[in-house]
Amino acid sequence: MNPWLTAVLAIVGGLILAWLLALAALLIVRPRGNLLTEAVRLLPDLLRLIPRLARDPQLPRGIRVRLWLLLAYLAMPIDLIPDFIPVLGYADDAIIVAAVLRSVVRAAGPEALDRHWPGTPDGLAAVRRLAGLPNAPTTR
């Protein structure tokens, strides 16, 4: 077999494998129950929250870099999961935002989330559930 063809097939196979692994990871970390619906509903507020957190100099640099990478992913015109795939096609952005938000809140603490939340108190309560925080009411 031609070595170039072998290389191309190996690269294509590797890309397909990487995509399938990313799809499996999304299925594993997706919010359970109605939290996915809440995440999709809150996406506009979450898209305002992320840059606010990313510009916060009080947060560690690694967290801010993670948030800027998330914003870059969200700005890409190509989705990880095409929109024609039922349920996950439209929810992949919400799932990725929720996963990054969970890791940011674990590292930075819920105070940063509370301090920068641009939406309603009910929305903040939903985001706290999405991030795996207790539903205790917070003061803003």
Side-chain angles (χ1 to χ4, degrees), residues 15-94:
L15 289 173
I16 290 171
L17 180 62
W19 181 79
L20 289 172
L21 289 173
L23 181 63
L26 282 178
L27 287 171
I28 291 169
V29 301
R30 77 181 187 282
R32 302 290 188 247
N34 66 348
L35 283 179
L36 182 59
T37 305
E38 287 185 54
V40 171
R41 183 179 56 83
L42 292 170
L43 205 51
D45 286 333
L46 289 170
L47 291 176
R48 288 188 310 218
L49 172 70
I50 293 165
R52 290 179 180 192
L53 287 169
R55 288 188 302 260
D56 186 350
Q58 296 176 356
L59 296 180
R61 180 176 302 222
I63 292 172
R64 293 192 320 250
V65 168
R66 197 177 315 163
L67 290 165
W68 285 114
L69 289 173
L70 173 63
L71 284 172
Y73 170 78
L74 293 173
M76 286 187 343
I78 299 170
D79 282 342
L80 181 63
I81 300 174
D83 290 340
F84 64 83
I85 295 178
V87 182
L88 282 180
Y90 288 108
D92 63 333
D93 291 343

